[in-house]
C-alpha cells in the first residue's frame, strides 16, 4: 500500500509519494524527531554530562537530549523494529514492524559550544538489524541541519522505483552529470528532496529534486593531521590551493555536505593515515550520507570503492570518507587509497 500525496504543497507529503506505508511512517517520525531536536537545542546545555557513550565519546547534555527525542519518535511510530544510535550503539527494541533505523542524533558536538551549525543523520534499513548487511541495503537516508533555518534533506525511493541507488549514482571517475534528462529521471531509483521547518512546526518543500553537478572548485578538508604521513593527501591539499579552490569547512560533517548540495557541488574529503586514524562511524555517519550523496548524482569512496559496497561488521566500525561531485571525488582517490 503506497502513500498518496496530500493536496497541500507545504508539507512533508512530497517525500512520501509512492512509498510503502510503513516507510512513509518512518520518514514522518524522523521529521518529527528533527523538529523536536531543533526545539530542544534552543535551550539545551552544551556542557559535558560527565559520562561517555559506549564508543568512548564524551557526552554533552545536548547529545543525550537529542538522542531521547529521536528514540521517542521512532518508538511511537510503530513502524520501527530496532534502532541504534551513536549514543546507544546497540540494537534497541522499538516494538514496531517494518524497518530498522540507525542515527547520529547530534553530529558536530565539538562545535556546538561555538553555536555553529550542527546536524542529525539517519539511515533506514528494511527489516531487522544492521550488522552483516551491506550499506547498499538502506532504503532511505536523511540528515538535518540546525542553523539559521532547520533543514531536512531526505533520500527516498522514487515513485515506482526500487530501494537502491542503481542507475542513480554518479561514478568517481567523473562520468556523472549535474542535470538529469527526463529519461534519466525516469530511470532513477531514488530522489533527494529538501524541506524547511516552518514556525508552525510543519515542513515546506524547498527543493524537489537535488542533483550534485560533476565538478566545482570547493573543498572541505577534514582530518588534516593525516597530511603529516599521507603524502598523497598533502599533494591534494596543495592542488586545491594552487588551483584556487574555495575553502568551505566548518568542522561539522552535515553542514559541510549540505553546502555541497545547496551550493552546486564540491567535495568533502576525510582520508586517514597511520597517525590519524578514522573517526567517522560507518553505521551512523558514512553509510547514510554516502547513500544520500550517490542518490543525488554524486559519488562516495572509502579508499577501496563506493562506501555503499561496504558490509557492516560492528556498530563501531569506522572508515575514511570522501563524498561530493564525481570529478572532485575522483581527484581525491590517491589520498584515499593511501589511507
Amino acid at each position: 500500500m503506497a502513500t498518496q500525496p496530500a493536496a497541500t504543497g507545504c508539507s512533508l507529503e512530497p517525500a512520501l509519494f509512492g512509498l510503502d506505508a510503513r516507510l512513509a511512517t518512518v520518514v514522518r517520525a524522523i521529521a518529527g524527531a528533527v523538529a523536536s531536536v531543533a526545539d530542544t537545542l534552543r535551550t539545551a546545555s552544551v556542557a559535558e554530562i560527565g559520562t561517555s557513550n559506549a564508543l568512548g565519546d564524551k557526552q554533552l547534555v545536548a547529545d543525550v537530549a537529542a538522542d531521547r527525542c529521536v528514540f521517542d519518535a521512532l518508538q511511537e511510530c510503530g513502524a520501527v523494529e530496532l534502532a541504534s544510535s551513536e549514543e546507544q550503539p546497540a540494537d534497541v527494541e522499538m516494538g514496531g514492524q517494518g524497518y530498522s533505523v540507525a542515527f547520529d542524533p547530534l553530529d558536530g558536538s565539538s562545535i556546538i559550544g561555538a553555536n555553529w551549525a550542527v546536524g542529525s543523520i539517519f539511515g533506514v534499513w528494511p527489516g531487522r538489524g544492521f550488522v552483516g548487511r551491506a550499506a547498499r541495503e538502506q532504503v532511505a537516508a536523511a540528515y538535518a541541519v540546525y542553523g539559521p533555518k532547520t533543514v531536512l534533506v531526505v533520500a527516498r525511493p522514487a515513485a515506482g522505483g526500487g530501494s537502491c541507488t542503481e542507475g542513480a549514482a554518479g561514478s568517481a571517475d567523473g562520468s556523472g552529470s549535474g542535470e538529469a534528462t527526463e529519461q534519466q529521471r525516469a530511470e532513477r531509483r531514488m530522489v533527494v528532496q529538501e524541506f524547511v521547518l516552518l514556525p508552525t512546526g510543519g515542513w515546506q518543500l524547498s527543493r524537489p529534486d537535488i542533483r550534485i553537478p560533476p565538478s566545482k572548485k570547493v573543498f572541505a578538508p577534514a582530518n588534516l593531521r593525516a597530511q603529516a604521513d599521507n603524502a598523497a593527501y598533502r599533494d591534494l591539499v596543495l592542488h586545491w590551493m594552487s588551483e584556487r579552490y574555495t575553502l568551505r569547512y566548518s568542522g561539522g560533517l552535515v553542514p559541510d555536505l549540505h553546502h555541497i548540495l545547496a551550493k552546486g557541488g564540491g567535495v568533502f574529503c576525510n582520508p586517514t593515515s597511520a597517525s590519524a586514524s578514522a573517526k567517522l562511524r560507518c553505521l551512523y555517519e558514512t553509510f547514510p550520507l554516502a547513500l544520500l550523496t550517490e542518490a543525488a548524482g554524486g559519488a562516495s569512496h572509502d579508499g577501496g570503492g563506493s562506501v555503499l559496497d561496504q558490509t557492516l561488521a560492528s556498530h563501531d566500525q569506522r572508515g575514511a570518507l570522501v563524498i561530493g561531485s564525481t570529478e572532485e571525488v575522483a581527484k581525491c582517490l590517491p589520498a584515499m587509497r593511501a589511507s
Side-chain angles (χ1 to χ4, degrees):
M1 176 178 165
T3 300
Q4 297 301 313
T8 176
C10 294
S11 74
L12 192 69
E13 295 306 309
L16 309 178
F17 173 61
L19 295 190
D20 166 79
R22 289 187 182 275
L23 181 55
T25 297
V26 173
V27 175
R28 288 192 190 96
I30 288 172
V34 167
S36 296
V37 171
D39 185 60
T40 298
L41 290 182
R42 293 189 184 99
T43 57
S45 170
V46 296
E48 291 183 7
I49 202 170
T51 60
S52 298
N53 62 28
L55 301 178
D57 300 325
K58 292 181 179 179
Q59 292 180 304
L60 307 183
V61 174
D63 287 320
V64 176
D67 196 54
R68 187 70 268 155
C69 287
V70 180
F71 269 114
D72 286 348
L74 297 180
Q75 189 164 37
E76 290 171 5
C77 81
V80 178
E81 299 186 23
L82 295 176
S84 181
S85 82
E86 196 168 55
E87 300 305 317
Q88 300 185 57
D91 292 346
V92 180
E93 294 285 348
M94 291 286 101
Q97 290 186 332
Y99 295 89
S100 296
V101 180
F103 62 95
D104 184 349
L106 190 57
D107 186 76
S109 297
S110 64
I111 60 175
I112 192 173
N115 202 30
W116 291 8
V118 294
S120 299
I121 305 171
F122 306 87
V124 182
W125 303 69
R128 185 177 180 84
F130 312 99
V131 175
R133 304 180 70 176
R136 204 174 290 279
E137 293 183 50
Q138 294 173 106
V139 293
Y143 68 74
V145 181
Y146 309 104
K149 298 178 181 178
T150 295
V151 174
L152 177 65
V153 176
V154 179
R156 50 85 172 174
S163 60
C164 69
T165 56
E166 182 182 353
S171 64
D173 63 3
S175 61
S177 62
E179 293 296 329
T181 65
E182 289 301 321
Q183 180 178 356
Q184 287 171 331
R185 288 192 182 98
E187 291 174 348
R188 268 199 259 138
R189 299 294 186 266
M190 301 195 80
V191 65
V192 179
Q193 298 180 316
E194 177 192 84
F195 298 82
V196 176
L197 184 63
L198 301 174
T200 59
W203 293 93
Q204 182 171 17
L205 177 65
S206 50
R207 287 191 290 166
D209 187 8
I210 300 175
R211 302 294 288 166
I212 301 174
S215 66
K216 187 171 185 177
K217 289 187 173 183
V218 174
F219 73 113
N223 200 19
L224 278 173
R225 295 182 185 88
Q227 287 186 97
D229 49 353
N230 183 334
Y233 191 23
R234 188 162 58 251
D235 291 344
L236 178 61
V237 173
L238 291 173
H239 164 77
W240 286 326
M241 296 172 67
S242 65
E243 292 297 319
R244 301 184 184 276
Y245 275 57
T246 299
L247 173 66
R248 288 291 181 266
Y249 178 65
S250 71
L253 172 55
V254 172
D256 288 344
L257 173 59
H258 188 63
H259 187 277
I260 293 169
L261 271 70
K263 304 297 282 187
V267 66
F268 172 91
C269 189
N270 190 328
T272 65
S273 71
S275 64
S277 59
K279 293 184 177 180
L280 298 179
R281 269 91 183 197
C282 296
L283 179 59
Y284 310 111
E285 296 168 309
T286 70
F287 284 7
L289 295 186
L291 178 76
L292 199 147
T293 300
E294 293 198 20
S300 74
H301 211 280
D302 61 6
S306 167
V307 172
L308 297 182
D309 290 333
Q310 286 193 44
T311 297
L312 187 71
S314 71
H315 291 80
D316 191 30
Q317 181 176 326
R318 308 182 191 205
L321 175 69
V322 57
I323 46 178
S325 297
T326 54
E327 293 178 12
E328 304 303 336
V329 168
K331 295 172 186 176
C332 299
L333 297 191
M336 296 300 295
R337 288 171 178 152
S339 293

